[in-house]
Amino acid sequence: ESEYLSAEKQSCDCMTDLRELGLSSYEEDVYRTLLVCGPATATEISSDSNVPRGRIYDILNGLSDRQLVQTRSHEPKRYAAIDPKTAIDRLLSERFYELEQEWYRLENIADRLRSDLFSQAPLDGSIWRGSIGSSSMIRATRDRVQTIDEDLSIVYGLPYKNAQTDIFLDEVTQIFEGSSGEISIDFIFNVDVLEALSGVLPDLVAMTNADVQIRGINETTLSFEIIDNSKAGLEIPHPRIESERFGFVGISNSELVNELNHQFQQLWYNAKPVL
């Protein structure tokens, strides 16, 4: 009796596993029936699997479309289950793809939430997380530009220096699109970033009425910005991925803002005018 119960439990566990891999209860019943009985007609399968006659063709066609059941050219048509190892591999691939798509969907939702919540103060009062080019950071850049009253000083170094242009371009574009003629913007680009943007930079400058000055520098620095000499932001490169950011630190402490401003002025002095 204990051996029977153990076998019954193992069968139930396997059924549960097959359904977790994407089979419905009817699909599992049909597939298992074909494994036990061998090639059979739809009528025979319906009888042996207890799947209603009105559903059997839909179930068989669905399994055939997923390449879990093969048809034989006999009359009447007979169906056969494919090798279980192959079937499980195919189900696993399907399930992986479904979960991957669900991950992307949830990631997009998370990005939208970051965008909605970014303007609120972070829990630790200073640090936001966000990857380069993500919708949350694009929205955050746009929001910061809209807070400028007089001037913005900004340095593009690490991690933009190692990132692909098409990934960070939208963030840079927000600076130009969101600025107006009433403010001035001083850009310092690391030469690698400058080269990556060389094809689009004139068009970016043309889209804004702000007073824009651009300089390039060979020195590799962290990226940072200063808004109206009263608040600042500092990019934190990712500790393991050189082309990615770990986060963005908002700074309101006047001493730190002044120190960053001093660093910017030194870089500006050593940089070469571009436009």
Side-chain angles (χ1 to χ4, degrees):
E1 182 178 359
S2 62
E3 291 179 357
Y4 172 78
L5 291 175
S6 176
E8 186 71 17
K9 180 181 185 299
Q10 184 177 9
S11 174
C12 292
D13 289 343
C14 194
M15 289 175 65
T16 300
D17 291 340
L18 277 174
R19 293 180 193 177
E20 286 190 17
L21 286 181
L23 289 185
S24 69
S25 59
Y26 280 166
E27 288 173 332
E28 181 174 358
D29 290 341
V30 167
Y31 181 75
R32 285 183 171 279
T33 297
L34 288 173
L35 283 179
V36 173
C37 299
T41 65
T43 301
E44 293 169 342
I45 298 169
S46 174
S47 175
D48 292 341
S49 65
N50 294 319
V51 173
R53 289 283 297 274
R55 294 293 316 280
I56 192 63
Y57 284 103
D58 287 340
I59 299 300
L60 287 169
N61 288 335
L63 291 172
S64 296
D65 290 342
R66 297 167 72 179
Q67 298 182 323
L68 300 175
V69 165
Q70 299 173 331
T71 57
R72 303 289 174 85
S73 57
H74 298 85
E75 288 295 338
K77 184 185 293 184
R78 304 178 75 82
Y79 299 84
I82 68 166
D83 174 69
K85 182 180 183 303
T86 303
I88 290 172
D89 288 344
R90 286 177 180 168
L91 286 172
L92 182 60
S93 295
E94 286 182 7
R95 191 67 175 137
F96 179 83
Y97 176 79
E98 292 170 358
L99 292 173
E100 187 178 44
Q101 296 306 305
E102 179 66 6
W103 165 260
Y104 289 140
R105 186 184 71 84
L106 293 175
E107 192 175 46
N108 287 333
I109 291 175
D111 274 346
R112 289 198 300 272
L113 284 173
R114 293 188 190 103
S115 296
D116 293 339
L117 300 176
F118 195 96
S119 58
Q120 301 180 21
L123 294 179
D124 62 5
S126 60
I127 301 177
W128 290 273
R129 289 291 305 276
S131 59
I132 290 181
S134 65
S135 60
S136 61
M137 297 307 288
I138 292 171
R139 167 70 179 275
T141 303
R142 183 168 63 249
D143 290 347
R144 295 201 306 277
V145 171
Q146 293 174 353
T147 68
I148 301 172
D149 293 326
E150 297 180 359
D151 55 69
L152 168 67
S153 302
I154 187 164
V155 178
Y156 281 100
L158 294 174
Y160 299 94
K161 177 180 183 295
N162 299 312
Q164 294 182 9
T165 310
D166 57 344
I167 295 179
F168 70 76
L169 179 58
D170 285 342
E171 287 188 27
V172 178
T173 301
Q174 293 303 316
I175 302 291
F176 292 91
E177 286 186 346
S179 56
S180 68
E182 299 177 354
I183 66 173
S184 62
I185 307 177
D186 292 336
F187 288 95
I188 298 177
F189 289 104
N190 172 268
V191 290
D192 292 324
V193 181
L194 190 60
E195 181 179 357
L197 293 174
S198 60
V200 298
L201 202 53
D203 292 333
L204 292 176
V205 174
M207 74 169 53
T208 179
N209 293 321
D211 179 15
V212 174
Q213 296 189 64
I214 299 176
R215 295 192 178 188
I217 193 169
N218 288 314
E219 186 175 346
T220 299
T221 68
L222 292 181
S223 299
F224 64 92
E225 64 183 41
I226 305 158
I227 298 176
D228 296 331
N229 292 312
S230 61
K231 51 189 175 182
L234 180 67
E235 302 275 1
I236 308 175
H238 196 283
R240 293 190 300 109
I241 307 173
E242 63 178 10
S243 61
E244 186 57 275
R245 72 155 61 88
F246 183 78
F248 180 86
V249 180
I251 300 172
S252 57
N253 180 278
S254 59
E255 292 184 7
L256 295 178
V257 172
N258 289 337
E259 176 59 27
L260 282 176
N261 194 24
H262 175 69
Q263 295 298 323
F264 182 88
Q265 297 305 322
Q266 286 188 317
L267 291 172
W268 185 261
Y269 178 79
N270 294 324
K272 295 182 179 180
V274 176
L275 293 174

